[in-house]
Amino acid sequence: MSRPRISRRLALAVPAALSAFALTALPAFATSSPAQIATSRANGVAYLKSLQAADGSYAGSGLSNEWAFSTFAAAGTAVVDVYPGGDTTKNARTVYRNLLSTAGWPSGAPVVTDYERGTLNAYAAGIDPARVSASRNLVANVYAHWQTAEAGYFGPSANFNGTVFAALALRGAKTQGGANRIPQALTDSMVTRIRANQHVDGGWTYSKAEGDPTALNAPGDVDMTGSAMAALCVSGVPNTDADVVRAKNFLKGKLIAGTGAFNSLYGVNTSSNGWGVAGLNACGINPQTGDFLTSSGKTPVDFLIANQYNPAGGFKYQPADTGPSAYSSIDALRGVVGGGFTTAPPVPVTPGAPQWVAQPAFTAGTATTLALTVDDGAGNLKVCSVAFTPTATTTTLGDVLDAAGSGATPSGCVTSVTPSSGTGTLTGINGKANSGSNTWKAGVDGSAFAAAARNRVINVGDTIALRWGA
């Protein structure tokens, strides 16, 4: 997700025996058939299962294989159903949840993309990303990287991919009930930044281009164009929107007629193709018809399947390679099976395994965080993670706002609250008072806004939105 990605892809170790299988020759149809895709899916899933360590893990240092979880979900395989040697106690979901819950994850110097990666893959694994454990709230972790001075960006704006993946994570990882958990004002702010960074050629790169004519006129890349257009579409932008159409046309212009590959800045490769196809998938654009069926009868999906080892299931990174790449196999299979950058978890087949796991309540005395937005109705959106230590299994909105005064990251999210104590209706926040029908209202996890009161019950992992207006 963050650059440099290409050099790290090639450093992944894969079972040497798998490279001994020959590539499958494609029959002469114009597009990959449903039967070919089904075979690619089955063999690809088997290969990704082979990447699981003996302890059940996929995640680790460097470029982690946990991205397999988003691919498993898109392919219809529940992550909880993936376990080594028949030992269901080592299933990939449980092992990953335990890792995310540790204080040392992700590292001593985490960046926003660590938490976005965790959010996308936890969601695909059936772990509510806001309720990983009593102490871990990945949504709040992402909120903590909001750029107050450059509203709409997450993480340093120079690393634009942090904002793209914020939109993918915060909008793509819905609630267990399928609702958008963040308010529209936050979505709109990210969409504005993504649009502002689109290059003249219709593409994007991982670095910031907004306000820089040289950068905006530089070539876009296939990878980030796929992810940025997906970010727009998961944020509710239709595929008929002018900027999405420009992105589609950018990808169309990168097609190589003879193979269906995209001509990436990094050379022809399956990872870039997979990201491009994932962007098309996320926007509901068929990557095998119309603009993406070349004059030679090839499509981007054809290229991916042509570089898959069958029956072993792994994918080459580049056509000249002599063995599969774990990371490229994850990217490529996700595109082949129709996935975007995350997918809701399938229903497991393991007896007794639930579709979702989540922390059920606060643990008194265990420090935690909550995600909070404060929208004053005048375009001054504040976004933060609020750190506090609950004293019971639930808390109140008043207690969260009190904690935000000194425990918010970034700071300044809440500077004043009226009333400052008690249980009554909130009549003012950050110096802005209720006025007639324009009052402070609260919503949780995408619920309808209602009058905000200090005694409103807040549960573990709730994503809280405050808004002033009618």
Side-chain angles (χ1 to χ4, degrees):
M1 183 165 62
S2 56
R3 292 298 197 273
R5 293 200 302 116
I6 300 303
S7 60
R8 296 168 75 190
R9 288 174 182 155
L10 302 182
L12 293 164
V14 295
L18 296 180
S19 65
F21 291 90
L23 293 170
T24 300
L26 288 175
F29 344 103
T31 62
S32 295
S33 69
Q36 286 177 289
I37 291 173
T39 297
S40 177
R41 179 197 308 263
N43 292 342
V45 165
Y47 171 80
L48 295 189
K49 287 182 176 180
S50 78
L51 302 177
Q52 188 175 31
D55 64 358
S57 65
Y58 276 84
S61 61
L63 190 58
S64 172
N65 288 339
E66 70 204 271
W67 281 110
F69 301 162
S70 63
T71 300
F72 278 134
T77 295
V79 174
V80 71
D81 292 332
V82 179
Y83 41 82
D87 186 350
T88 59
T89 66
K90 296 179 179 178
N91 72 79
R93 179 170 75 183
T94 295
V95 173
Y96 188 52
R97 186 184 184 193
N98 290 340
L99 173 67
L100 295 175
S101 299
T102 61
W105 182 91
S107 68
V111 294
V112 68
T113 50
D114 291 325
Y115 298 115
E116 293 158 356
R117 180 185 75 241
T119 299
L120 290 163
N121 289 298
Y123 177 76
I127 304 166
D128 187 326
R131 299 171 175 87
V132 177
S133 69
S135 59
R136 176 67 70 193
N137 180 338
L138 290 166
V139 174
N141 291 151
V142 174
Y143 271 38
H145 290 265
W146 171 260
Q147 300 298 293
T148 302
E150 295 181 284
Y153 283 108
F154 281 87
S157 63
N159 295 324
F160 168 63
N161 60 327
T163 298
V164 169
F165 277 85
L168 288 169
L170 296 176
R171 281 286 300 205
K174 301 183 186 302
T175 67
Q176 294 179 44
N180 293 317
R181 71 176 78 223
I182 68 169
Q184 189 62 43
L186 177 52
T187 298
D188 292 344
S189 70
M190 293 186 291
V191 167
T192 295
R193 293 299 191 178
I194 293 169
R195 291 187 190 275
N197 280 276
Q198 188 171 26
H199 292 210
V200 172
D201 64 7
W204 286 267
T205 66
Y206 71 93
S207 58
K208 181 181 180 181
E210 181 181 7
D212 183 344
T214 300
L216 289 169
N217 281 280
D221 76 57
V222 169
D223 303 50
M224 283 306 300
T225 299
S227 59
M229 69 186 294
L232 289 177
C233 290
V234 302
S235 297
V237 176
N239 63 15
T240 54
D241 176 87
D243 290 335
V244 176
V245 172
R246 289 175 61 212
K248 181 189 74 171
N249 289 339
F250 171 87
L251 292 177
K252 176 185 175 182
K254 295 296 181 181
L255 274 175
I256 298 172
T259 62
F262 292 121
N263 187 14
S264 167
L265 284 178
Y266 311 106
V268 169
N269 69 85
T270 55
S271 281
S272 293
N273 249 63
W275 280 41
V277 172
L280 296 172
N281 291 338
C283 288
I285 299 170
N286 192 325
Q288 289 217 93
T289 61
D291 289 334
F292 296 96
L293 177 61
T294 75
S295 58
S296 298
K298 296 294 184 180
T299 74
V301 174
D302 291 339
F303 172 76
L304 293 173
I305 293 179
N307 283 281
Q308 184 179 23
Y309 289 89
N310 284 306
F315 290 76
K316 294 181 176 186
Y317 169 57
Q318 291 182 313
D321 291 347
T322 57
S325 157
Y327 190 74
S328 296
S329 298
I330 292 168
D331 289 339
L333 185 61
R334 188 190 302 119
V336 168
V337 300
F341 287 85
T342 195
T343 301
V347 175
V349 298
T350 300
Q355 184 179 14
W356 291 97
V357 289
Q359 175 71 19
F362 290 116
T363 298
T366 297
T368 190
T369 55
L370 287 170
L372 171 68
T373 56
V374 182
D375 177 7
D376 70 355
N380 300 307
L381 178 68
K382 295 182 181 294
V383 179
C384 62
S385 172
V386 180
F388 72 108
T389 301
T391 58
T393 56
T394 64
T395 191
T396 65
L397 179 59
D399 285 345
V400 174
L401 296 181
D402 292 344
S406 59
T409 305
S411 62
C413 200
V414 177
T415 57
S416 65
V417 179
T418 305
S420 59
S421 62
T423 61
T425 298
L426 292 169
T427 58
I429 299 174
N430 295 344
K432 188 158 189 173
N434 292 346
S435 177
S437 62
N438 291 306
T439 62
W440 284 101
K441 298 176 176 63
V444 168
D445 281 355
S447 69
F449 283 91
R454 287 189 62 91
N455 65 351
R456 177 166 181 161
V457 174
I458 299 296
N459 293 291
V460 65
D462 282 352
T463 299
I464 305 165
L466 295 173
R467 187 187 71 187
W468 186 92

